Amino acid sequence: MDPSQIAQTALYQEVAERLRQRIFSHELPPGTRIDEQALTVDYGISRTPLREALKVLAAEGLVTLRPRRGCFVTEVSEQDLDDIFPLMAMLEARCALEATNRAQPADLARLEAIHAQLEHFAGSNEIKRFFEANQEFHYQIQELSGNRRLRQVIQDLRKVLKLTRLFSLSIDGRLQQSLAEHAAILAAIKAGDALGAQTAMHDHILSGRDALARSHLPQELMT
């Protein structure tokens, strides 16, 4: 293989990752038109790797390519959320079931440690750090499921959800409610109750959607 091909591949992937992080941080908010010419200058690259990077982001649902109009950061509608959350609930619930069947003492200890962080951050009302620990809790369950394809679909959906700036944890009572839901998931996994873990995770994800329906705060999304 021509070494230049490897370099070119690495380049468009790096460009995609840079743009992905700018989108997730809302430096490029939903609805923003991607200025391809400015980006080629900023990154010191040609149009080719940039357009390949945009194709990757379009496949992930993070940008939308509009013929003769250009490329725009995707805007997530209420309908999108209504479509995505039931899928997330089914997929993450399946992860919880499979994780329960595979869990070993070391895995349970890891989840308990993360839940202890959730309790601490909820008690001190550190919403951002609770959010980060929550992400890790879900990630560990996905990893524990051992289902690579299931994890990939979930992560792709979560990328789209990051486009919204709604933050359900800021709603009165949601932080403690979310903590209780995580406790129920953990208790079911520790008890070896795979169906119970599945149900608890399913209800937790849909509870996050219900909270978002009541939220119009300019922050980040949380399930």
Side-chain angles (χ1 to χ4, degrees), residues 189-210:
I189 294 175
K190 289 175 62 178
D193 180 3
L195 291 178
Q198 181 180 40
T199 299
M201 179 65 81
H202 183 273
D203 292 349
H204 169 56
I205 298 296
L206 293 186
S207 179
R209 175 63 186 115
D210 289 342

Side-chain angles (χ1 to χ4, degrees), residues 179-192:
L179 179 64
E181 291 164 3
H182 284 92
I185 295 167
L186 178 58
I189 294 175
K190 289 175 62 178

Side-chain angles (χ1 to χ4, degrees), residues 141-153:
I141 291 175
Q142 291 161 29
E143 286 288 299
L144 183 54
S145 76
N147 191 323
R148 177 174 60 84
R149 295 188 183 279
L150 189 55
R151 291 199 309 269
Q152 185 59 58
V153 176

Side-chain angles (χ1 to χ4, degrees), residues 36 51 54-55 58 63-67 70-72:
E36 294 186 30
R51 287 177 174 170
L54 292 176
K55 288 179 183 178
V63 301
T64 303
L65 302 173
R66 300 176 184 172
C71 181
F72 297 79

